[in-house]
Amino acid sequence: MNRAFSPLVQSLFVALLAFTAGATSAAEAAKPAAAPAPAAKADPAKGGALFGDGDTARGIPACVSCHGAGGNSTIAANPKLAGQGAVYLHKQLVDFTTPERNQAIMTTYAKLLTDDEKKNIAAYLSTQVAKPGAAKNKDTVELGKKIYRGGIAEKKVPACASCHGANGAGLPAQYPRLAGQNQDYTYAQLGLFSSGHRSNGPMMATISKRMSDDEMKAVSDYIAGLK
């Protein structure tokens, strides 16, 4: 025969159910959150294919046409990219899509690349071997050497070597490789920093504003001969 539970027993039963449900919820909440999916690793092979062939269907030309085989540009106005740090190169490709480094050609193409493609190209170029350059102006090489190694004390211009290294190898993820870079390109960038047309390097903007045109040319030529 069924017997009705007393009010006291019913209350205890309801309380037990509530406690069990609360404990279950607390246990679920205590579980660690699922770890986010790891970011895709950069693929130098894909970057090399895009650098060498472009993607005509999307209007992306082959980078090699301006920057040379393996990133060793033979066009004085275009930078050598071989051996440059991957993190630095990726940052520049991203910066080209912003007002901080607006440049008609590169801004157009950088905006067509996905972030993964930017990383792939940067990874590819970082694995390439940079070919050496050479200083051309014997009359200014000593001035360029003095600026690069010791700065210009009276103008509060620090030694370039303090950030870019004695041999111009740079510091990956922070300061770019300069050794062997085309003179015309380095000189042009110093001018852009000085004028404010390139604003993705506040430190370089400050330094270049303190330099004369002749000093910029001298150090740019000296840098080209660094190995």
Side-chain angles (χ1 to χ4, degrees), residues 7 46 64-65 69 71 73 87-88 100 104 124-125 140 151 169 181 194 216:
K46 288 183 178 179
V64 68
S65 62
S73 172
V87 174
Y88 177 80
E100 291 186 334
Y124 163 72
L125 288 167
T140 65
Q181 188 56 268
S194 178
M216 290 182 190

Side-chain angles (χ1 to χ4, degrees), residues 70-96:
N72 280 291
S73 172
T74 57
I75 301 173
N78 297 338
K80 293 180 179 179
L81 303 176
Q84 191 63 268
V87 174
Y88 177 80
L89 283 174
H90 172 255
K91 179 183 183 300
Q92 298 312 302
L93 286 171
V94 172
D95 287 352
F96 276 123

Side-chain angles (χ1 to χ4, degrees), residues 14-203:
V14 170
L16 179 61
L17 287 176
F19 175 79
T20 303
T24 301
S25 298
E28 290 295 326
K31 288 182 179 179
K41 189 175 180 180
D43 189 331
K46 288 183 178 179
L50 191 54
F51 185 89
D53 301 324
D55 186 339
T56 54
R58 294 161 56 201
I60 301 173
C63 312
V64 68
S65 62
C66 289
H67 295 288
N72 280 291
S73 172
T74 57
I75 301 173
N78 297 338
K80 293 180 179 179
L81 303 176
Q84 191 63 268
V87 174
Y88 177 80
L89 283 174
H90 172 255
K91 179 183 183 300
Q92 298 312 302
L93 286 171
V94 172
D95 287 352
F96 276 123
T97 67
T98 74
E100 291 186 334
R101 196 175 182 188
N102 189 288
Q103 196 271 350
I105 296 174
M106 284 305 305
T107 293
T108 298
Y109 298 140
K111 287 181 177 180
L112 295 175
L113 296 169
T114 67
D115 194 59
D116 282 345
E117 288 171 335
K118 290 181 176 72
K119 289 178 179 177
N120 291 344
I121 291 173
Y124 163 72
L125 288 167
S126 72
T127 67
Q128 302 305 295
V129 178
K131 293 182 179 180
K136 297 177 181 178
N137 192 339
K138 64 180 181 180
D139 295 328
T140 65
V141 70
E142 285 303 317
L143 174 59
K145 179 179 179 180
K146 178 183 176 182
I147 295 170
Y148 189 87
R149 295 188 177 184
I152 310 171
E154 63 273 20
K155 292 185 176 182
K156 297 183 179 180
V157 172
C160 311
S162 62
C163 289
H164 298 284
N167 62 354
L171 189 61
Q174 288 184 279
Y175 307 115
R177 172 189 173 86
L178 297 181
Q181 188 56 268
N182 290 327
Q183 288 96 328
D184 289 1
Y185 175 75
T186 301
Y187 171 65
Q189 296 311 300
L190 287 172
L192 290 173
F193 276 124
S194 178
S195 67
H197 282 88
R198 180 176 173 180
S199 58
N200 68 333
M203 184 187 300

